[in-house]
Amino acid sequence: MLLAIDCGNTNTVFALWDGRRFQGTWRIATDWRRTADEYFVWLSSIMKLTQIEASVSEVIISSTVPRVVFNLRVLADRYFNCRPLVVGKPECRLPVAPRVDEGTQVGPDRLVNAAGAFDRHGGDLIVVDFGTATTFDVVDDDGAYVGGAIAPGVNLSLEALHMAAAALPHVDVSRPSQVIGTNTVACMQSGIFWGYIGLVRGICERIRAERGRSMRIIGTGGLASLFGQGDVLFDRIEDDLTIHGLTVIHAFNKETA
């Protein structure tokens, strides 16, 4: 059984893949201080509670937080007796190498998104990932990651707005009933929601124009479904795209070993 681990700046997702489907997927807050023993106790407990009996024999990790990787490596070595694949490290091969400026380090999550999206939808894609940052990943016709854009994440923008303007409260991200807000909360929700709709549409249109071709837009990340409501932003929304990409990269490395 493969344990796929996607560690983002805010949350870390653990998923068990049996080669055909995911047996279980669980999320925990990302904390670089969490030890391998703590990971194992949490994972064992949640598997027992969900009545999943599985023997992990392989591990693959994607992490945008470098300090977390050490303890995840220890988890794989100590409790699952295996050496994990870590996306972005030389020993972890990609189906197609990224084509970016020489010396550029591409975020592992973006490489994984490209692999997962190409496997499901083919090439000429824009993957919009709503995470701590909102990222735009451009996937070429052969599956290569060829660049993109990075914008502040939705929740990050709301937090910055609240911290910089003392009179503005914390608000939930939701689709407002109308664009013109008639109170402070409604005004903030409108600005965030319709502002990000405009941001996503504008960047994607410019990417298409720059590439000179039709490109499908794939939405992923926790807020993708919200921003797909009532507005045709995405051709497809994939909640599990990053985790799926990890299984694709793992399978490729096994085939080419």
Side-chain angles (χ1 to χ4, degrees):
M1 188 81 72
L2 171 68
L3 177 63
I5 305 174
D6 169 32
C7 177
N9 290 293
T10 304
N11 293 308
T12 300
V13 177
F14 290 73
L16 283 173
W17 173 252
D18 66 4
R20 300 182 306 276
R21 64 187 182 91
F22 290 110
Q23 294 288 333
T25 302
W26 307 284
R27 188 179 301 267
I28 192 172
T30 299
D31 184 351
W32 65 267
R33 295 165 299 184
R34 188 172 284 115
T35 66
D37 301 329
E38 289 175 305
Y39 280 121
F40 183 71
V41 169
W42 170 79
L43 188 59
S44 300
S45 299
I46 203 165
M47 287 174 62
K48 185 175 181 180
L49 286 170
T50 52
Q51 298 182 334
I52 292 178
E53 295 183 8
S55 177
V56 174
S57 57
E58 298 171 291
V59 177
I60 184 168
I61 301 166
S62 167
S63 178
T64 58
V65 186
R67 297 178 76 180
V68 171
V69 174
F70 174 77
N71 282 322
L72 292 175
R73 283 184 179 273
V74 174
L75 170 71
D77 178 64
R78 180 179 299 167
Y79 290 105
F80 305 128
N81 194 31
C82 68
R83 179 183 177 86
L85 275 173
V86 181
V87 179
K89 299 299 182 182
E91 65 271 15
C92 182
R93 294 179 296 277
L94 298 172
V96 185
R99 291 193 286 272
V100 293
D101 293 344
E102 186 176 352
T104 299
Q105 285 191 325
V106 181
D109 55 329
R110 308 185 78 180
L111 299 173
V112 173
N113 281 346
F118 181 75
D119 181 69
R120 284 182 170 171
H121 305 286
D124 285 331
L125 305 173
I126 304 169
V127 181
V128 184
D129 190 347
F130 292 89
T132 304
T134 301
T135 58
F136 298 76
D137 304 324
V138 180
V139 183
D140 211 343
D141 55 6
D142 63 348
Y145 169 87
V146 293
I150 301 175
V154 178
N155 287 311
L156 192 63
S157 295
L158 277 170
E159 184 65 23
L161 194 59
H162 168 70
M163 292 183 67
L168 297 180
H170 282 287
V171 299
D172 294 327
V173 184
S174 63
R175 187 181 191 277
S177 58
Q178 56 189 36
V179 177
I180 301 173
T182 54
N183 57 68
T184 302
V185 169
C187 288
M188 292 176 68
Q189 289 175 332
S190 179
I192 287 292
F193 183 85
W194 294 113
Y196 271 85
I197 291 286
L199 180 145
V200 171
R201 179 179 288 111
I203 290 180
C204 288
E205 286 177 353
R206 287 180 176 274
I207 289 173
R208 283 170 165 165
E210 195 168 290
R211 300 279 291 171
R213 65 186 73 174
S214 175
M215 304 182 73
R216 285 170 293 171
I217 303 173
I218 311 301
T220 191
L223 293 174
S225 57
L226 170 66
F227 285 95
Q229 287 180 17
D231 207 276
V232 186
L233 274 183
F234 309 115
D235 294 288
R236 190 71 180 268
I237 294 176
E238 302 276 3
D239 293 332
D240 64 344
L241 185 65
T242 309
I243 286 293
H244 174 69
L246 283 172
T247 69
V248 172
I249 293 173
H250 178 265
F252 176 77
N253 278 265
K254 287 192 71 172
E255 290 168 4
T256 57

